[in-house]
Amino acid sequence: MITHPQAAAAPVPDPDEERRRVQTARLLAYRDDGPLVALLRGAMGPGLPPVPATLVALAAVIAIGASGLLGDGTGAVMLLPVVAMLVLVIPTAPRDHLGRFDWLVPPLLRGAEFLTVILLGLAADTPKWLLFVLIYVVGYHTYDTVYRTRQGIWPAPWVFQAGLGWETRLLLLGVGAALGVLTWVVAALCLYLGVLFAVESVTSWVRLDKQASPAQASDDLEASPEEAMEQATGEADKA
């Protein structure tokens, strides 16, 4: 009797392991780390606990803002909140973000980023509407990322690098504030990020819609004439 070798069954992924992988990927995407974090991640070892470090960074930014140290013409002092964010939050990037409260890291990080933008902008007399536009653009990018990942659609990795990440954006703003050109830096970021995020988001959703259309058309063609008539009659009755 001749027996034919059977192909080995594909290994079934562990559901818990898959859940952990997806959770880590989502939270890392929500962090919106950029090129500076990508450059330093491999050299930071295990990293700092994400939630405590981010909370301390947020508290440091609040304390610096309340101290009255920031102001137009104070030079390098304007870099203080940015340095606090970079020193405390960048080392949290290597962690897997699987802790019980690690889901708090993205909102804490985004809140600290926005607060730093506001403090620097007000201290440097940057037009408030321009600060609002920058916060809106970054907020839109965050919302788009969250919505996409919840639909199982992941933004391309290059988007986060091209979007500069929270750390590079803050570094540019801090340097601009220290040099007295923050308004120009904010305006440039608004223009660049606004175009980047809007064009990438729209083209991605349009491409996804085009990919879904043939499948929908195929489903419609598979319906029998009787089913199509019943569906049309039901819709007419509802109308």
Side-chain angles (χ1 to χ4, degrees):
M1 180 178 180
I2 300 176
T3 59
H4 297 281
Q6 296 181 351
V12 179
D14 179 34
D16 185 62
E17 186 67 25
E18 181 66 12
R19 179 191 62 80
R20 291 162 62 90
R21 183 192 68 79
V22 172
Q23 178 181 338
T24 297
R26 278 181 175 169
L27 291 182
L28 291 179
Y30 300 164
R31 281 175 58 105
D32 193 21
D33 294 328
L36 185 57
V37 170
L39 180 65
L40 298 176
R41 180 180 280 114
M44 290 185 289
L48 297 176
V51 175
T54 308
L55 279 173
V56 172
L58 178 58
V61 171
I62 294 174
I64 293 170
S67 68
L69 293 173
L70 303 178
D72 196 16
T74 55
V77 175
M78 297 287 274
L79 284 165
L80 285 178
V82 176
V83 171
M85 288 287 295
L86 298 182
V87 169
L88 290 168
V89 182
I90 286 181
T92 67
R95 300 298 283 259
D96 56 15
H97 290 67
L98 291 174
R100 183 176 181 181
F101 298 105
D102 284 355
W103 60 270
L104 288 169
V105 173
L108 288 173
L109 177 53
R110 200 62 59 242
E113 178 186 1
F114 290 168
L115 179 59
T116 303
V117 171
I118 293 171
L119 290 177
L120 292 178
L122 294 180
D125 291 328
T126 301
K128 295 180 178 63
W129 67 267
L130 201 55
L131 299 176
F132 173 80
V133 172
L134 179 58
I135 291 174
Y136 175 83
V137 168
V138 176
Y140 169 79
H141 169 58
T142 302
Y143 169 79
D144 186 55
T145 300
V146 172
Y147 187 78
R148 283 204 229 180
T149 57
R150 290 191 176 277
Q151 304 299 317
I153 308 163
W154 296 85
W158 68 264
V159 176
F160 300 102
Q161 303 303 308
L164 304 178
W166 65 269
E167 78 287 357
T168 310
R169 292 193 295 263
L170 287 184
L171 185 58
L172 290 174
L173 292 172
V175 172
L179 296 177
V181 292
L182 181 60
T183 297
W184 293 102
V185 174
V186 173
L189 284 176
C190 287
L191 180 61
Y192 168 69
L193 296 176
V195 172
L196 171 69
F197 293 149
V199 171
E200 191 279 331
S201 177
V202 170
T203 54
S204 295
W205 285 110
V206 169
R207 183 168 59 250
L208 178 66
D209 184 63
K210 288 182 178 179
Q211 292 173 352
S213 295
Q216 180 64 39
S218 177
D219 292 341
D220 293 341
L221 289 174
E222 291 176 358
S224 65
E226 292 80 5
E227 291 173 340
M229 181 63 70
E230 290 177 0
Q231 183 178 2
T233 303
E235 291 177 353
D237 292 338
K238 291 180 181 179

